Amino acid sequence: MFTPRSLSMVAAATVLALMAGCAAQNPYDPNTQVPQEGGVSKAAKYGGLGALAGAVAGAAINHDNRGKGAMIGAAVAGLAGAGYGYYADKQEAQLRQQMQGTGVEVQRQGDDIKLIMPGNITFATDSANIAPSFYTPLNNLANSFKQFNQNSIEIVGYTDSTGSRQHNMDLSQRRAQSVAAYLTSQGVDGTRVSTRGMGPDQPIASNADANGRAQNRRVEVNLKALPGAQGTAAPQQQYQ
């Protein structure tokens, strides 16, 4: 059972982890249009939550000294969570800056980052050949992916509902593969890259009108932490 002393040590460890996350350089800036989340960076939030979970686990493991176990668990888990959270903060901020004015949307959910590339800049109708307007965003992505190398890169192609389902499934897969092939040709590690063709599935707008169909014809790039990255990503080592 937790004693008042051990509970106070858990609380202290959590506060310290949050303070460490807040003290880290905050890449959010109004010019990059990244949410402030009440002034607390995602790194601080994830570090604090990780510290709390680690404190409970550490106290449970160390039966002889629950207070000491809580402090150790909080420190280890808090640093791991804040480490990758800060890493993802930096990558998100860079991508938002690079994608400004290109039509590419950057979304963030937890530690995952998603880029949505609309059909009007990616491919011509019924083609898997990269459009001229798509090269600048792709070159920026390749540079970012080479600098930030602690996440996997899933490329997903989509179409509207016009035409047969099989044709759209094949087309969306070929488009995803075209993007993957170009990124790897620019030096991105191919072992990090995977592709999927979703065809007309998971539309983000109505296919009943031209505007909606244009939104559905898109390519999405999903960035997730590589196995083990959340515990090892060290901002000062992974990007300078």
Side-chain angles (χ1 to χ4, degrees):
M1 179 179 297
F2 287 103
T3 66
R5 175 179 171 79
S6 63
L7 287 173
S8 66
M9 294 183 74
V10 171
T14 304
V15 170
L16 286 173
L18 280 168
M19 290 175 64
C22 292
Q25 179 184 356
N26 190 341
Y28 290 172
D29 183 278
N31 295 327
T32 61
Q33 300 179 355
V34 185
Q36 289 286 341
E37 290 203 2
V40 178
S41 72
K42 292 182 179 69
K45 179 176 69 177
Y46 302 147
L49 291 176
L52 183 58
V56 174
I61 293 171
N62 193 333
H63 297 288
D64 295 331
N65 191 331
R66 292 187 184 276
K68 181 180 179 181
M71 290 291 285
I72 294 172
V76 172
L79 287 174
Y84 190 80
Y86 180 68
Y87 181 94
D89 286 351
K90 295 289 287 185
Q91 185 175 24
E92 178 193 11
Q94 184 196 73
L95 288 170
R96 286 185 183 277
Q97 184 177 37
Q98 290 179 337
M99 296 300 116
Q100 282 184 351
T102 66
V104 176
E105 180 182 354
V106 181
Q107 295 183 353
R108 176 80 176 269
Q109 184 174 15
D111 281 341
D112 299 341
I113 300 173
K114 174 181 289 188
L115 298 105
I116 302 176
M117 306 170 182
N120 63 322
I121 68 168
T122 54
F123 300 96
T125 301
D126 202 30
S127 172
N129 296 321
I130 294 172
S133 58
F134 199 20
Y135 282 108
T136 295
L138 286 181
N139 288 334
N140 289 340
L141 286 181
N143 290 331
S144 179
F145 294 162
K146 287 185 290 185
Q147 181 182 4
F148 292 85
N149 58 8
Q150 293 299 304
N151 38 37
S152 62
I153 305 165
E154 181 190 42
I155 303 167
V156 188
Y158 295 89
T159 68
D160 60 32
S161 61
T162 304
S164 72
R165 176 177 176 79
Q166 187 58 56
H167 176 77
N168 286 328
M169 294 298 289
D170 292 342
L171 177 61
S172 63
Q173 179 65 39
R174 287 189 286 115
R175 286 177 168 176
Q177 289 172 340
S178 290
V179 172
Y182 185 77
L183 291 176
T184 54
S185 75
Q186 299 303 302
V188 177
D189 182 0
T191 63
R192 298 169 55 200
V193 181
S194 62
T195 62
R196 274 196 301 158
M198 296 293 290
D201 295 345
Q202 300 179 5
I204 58 175
S206 172
N207 281 302
D209 58 76
N211 181 62
R213 289 192 295 272
Q215 293 181 59
N216 292 331
R217 294 192 299 270
R218 68 196 190 278
V219 173
E220 295 185 357
V221 177
N222 300 314
L223 307 178
K224 299 178 182 292
L226 287 170
Q230 284 189 311
T232 60
Q236 68 273 20
Q237 295 177 357
Q238 298 300 338
Y239 40 85
Q240 298 292 341

